[in-house]
Amino acid sequence: MKKVLFGIGLLTLCIFLAGQALSHTPLCSCFDNGDGTITCEGGFSDGSSAAGVSMKVVDAKGKVLIKGKMNEDSEFTFKRPDVPFKVIFDAGPGHVVEVKGEDITE
């Protein structure tokens, strides 16, 4: 009986670890284009595209200033807000990246 329980426990652990190995991490970086616009590029650590991923630019209180999606090249370009802001790359639960406006440079 102990061998059966050990086997079931080992199988459960392998299934859990396989899921972790197949997961991918969201990536997003933004840069100032020098013309009053900002471009963010996104993707996933396994090389998959971020096309269609929701993007939001919010102010310090969380008010949505700009909303859109990554294009087919996994890019999102917007006019730089005049107030402090952050960019949110939202690919779903556990796949959110936030970039502070003050960290975005040319």
Side-chain angles (χ1 to χ4, degrees), residues 8 16 24 36 68 99:
I8 291 172
F16 174 75
H24 55 231
V99 180

Side-chain angles (χ1 to χ4, degrees), residues 35-62:
D35 62 357
T37 64
I38 293 172
T39 297
C40 297
E41 298 174 332
F44 296 92
S45 59
D46 64 356
S48 59
S49 170
V53 168
S54 294
M55 298 292 294
K56 287 190 283 188
V57 180
V58 300
D59 68 10
K61 294 182 179 178

Side-chain angles (χ1 to χ4, degrees), residues 68-97:
K69 293 185 178 201
M70 288 280 184
N71 67 16
E72 63 276 355
D73 295 324
S74 297
E75 293 181 346
F76 178 67
T77 300
F78 59 95
K79 182 181 174 192
R80 184 180 193 96
D82 295 330
V83 297
F85 68 96
K86 67 180 173 183
V87 179
I88 302 173
F89 171 99
D90 187 357
H95 292 85
V96 176
V97 177

Side-chain angles (χ1 to χ4, degrees), residues 5-57:
L5 290 176
F6 178 75
I8 291 172
L10 185 59
L11 180 62
T12 302
L13 180 63
C14 289
I15 290 171
F16 174 75
L17 292 176
Q20 294 295 318
L22 296 174
S23 66
H24 55 231
T25 302
L27 306 168
C28 182
S29 62
C30 302
F31 54 91
D32 190 324
N33 294 313
D35 62 357
T37 64
I38 293 172
T39 297
C40 297
E41 298 174 332
F44 296 92
S45 59
D46 64 356
S48 59
S49 170
V53 168
S54 294
M55 298 292 294
K56 287 190 283 188
V57 180

